[in-house]
Amino acid sequence: LAASEAVLVESYEAGELVSTYTTDLTLGVSSGSGGADPLSREEAHFVVSRGEDLYLKMLLLDNLMHADLHPGNILLRRARRYGRNSLALLDVGMVARLTRREADAFIGFLNAMGAGDGAAAARCVLRFSDSQACTAREEFEADMSDLFRRTCRGYGTGIQFGEVLRGVLALVRDRGVAIDANYMTLVTNVLCLEGMAGTLVPEYNVLDAARPLLDAHRALPRPLFRLAMPLVASLKRVKDRVCR
């Protein structure tokens, strides 16, 4: 089997769409009404935590992001049928290739959220375009500091990712801050992730759960982080299980 940038290879993947369960819960109908068995608490937590692991690996290590990471493109293979729980991503023909600068700017934004630092977050957002035309940079930084004082005080404070990002995007619009397409892909995907978590495991905090990987990425040189990624990801999963 040969593949190249000019050839898209597709395969059939068995499993159940995660959107089956998120849609049922959103509409308030019995889980599994689409024909699949209801998710157990353990399975729901697996979907959310492993889905976040996939997002973070693409961002922190691969510099390649699935461009449409909603629950309808995530397939769950359940242990009762396939031996162990696993996820498969669908529709990967559309991806965003991240430059090192793009990845570093968005990772810096996530770290600023974890620190509750609105000014640092503003400086990261102003890097979200190679041709930034915003002329109200100081005002934007002040607005972001005010937003963070109200909604984003750092790790362990119950940050609602979606609320913060919607506030940031409102300020981006009001202050005329340019954002390039790849960053909007990153923002949209993390909003999908938080929405999925809020539906399946409401107590799961996306930012707090990401802390081990974000801290390791910030502390280690890139080659060491690449080597340490499997261990840090395993520690994150242990923490996820303890906090469940």
Side-chain angles (χ1 to χ4, degrees), residues 79-236:
R80 66 184 72 175
R81 182 174 300 175
Y82 299 101
R84 64 184 180 89
N85 290 326
S86 63
L87 297 181
L89 300 185
L90 307 181
D91 196 17
V92 294
M94 186 167 63
V95 298
R97 292 181 179 274
L98 305 176
T99 66
R100 180 68 64 83
R101 182 182 183 278
E102 289 171 335
D104 287 348
F106 196 77
I107 294 165
F109 173 73
L110 297 181
N111 285 326
M113 286 187 66
D117 190 339
R123 291 190 291 272
C124 291
V125 173
L126 288 167
R127 295 168 55 200
F128 282 9
S129 175
D130 290 333
S131 54
Q132 186 55 256
C134 176
T135 58
R137 297 184 177 223
E138 292 183 2
E139 293 84 352
F140 178 65
E141 187 170 318
D143 289 344
M144 286 281 285
S145 294
D146 181 61
L147 173 69
F148 272 49
R149 277 192 295 271
R150 291 183 282 110
T151 65
C152 187
R153 296 185 299 278
Y155 292 123
T157 61
I159 292 171
Q160 298 299 311
F161 221 121
E163 179 186 359
V164 176
L165 285 179
R166 283 186 286 272
V168 171
L169 292 176
L171 294 178
V172 162
R173 180 194 61 221
D174 293 344
R175 294 300 184 183
V177 178
I179 297 182
D180 291 344
N182 276 357
Y183 293 104
M184 287 310 302
T185 296
L186 294 169
V187 168
T188 301
N189 280 352
V190 79
L191 286 174
C192 287
L193 177 63
E194 194 201 40
M196 183 173 70
T199 301
L200 297 178
V201 190
E203 67 275 17
Y204 190 94
N205 187 282
V206 170
L207 186 62
D208 287 349
R211 184 174 187 173
L213 285 169
L214 291 173
D215 284 353
H217 183 272
R218 187 177 66 252
L220 297 174
R222 189 174 180 83
L224 287 182
F225 176 75
R226 180 176 291 277
L227 292 174
M229 174 78 173
L231 174 60
V232 179
S234 295
L235 294 175
K236 173 186 177 295

Side-chain angles (χ1 to χ4, degrees), residues 15-16 21 31-32 35-47 76-86:
E16 299 155 8
Y21 305 101
S31 181
D37 293 333
L39 283 184
S40 67
R41 179 177 175 81
E42 180 182 356
E43 289 170 330
H45 194 277
F46 172 84
V47 168
L76 171 63
R77 297 192 183 100
R78 304 170 82 171
R80 66 184 72 175
R81 182 174 300 175
Y82 299 101
R84 64 184 180 89
N85 290 326
S86 63

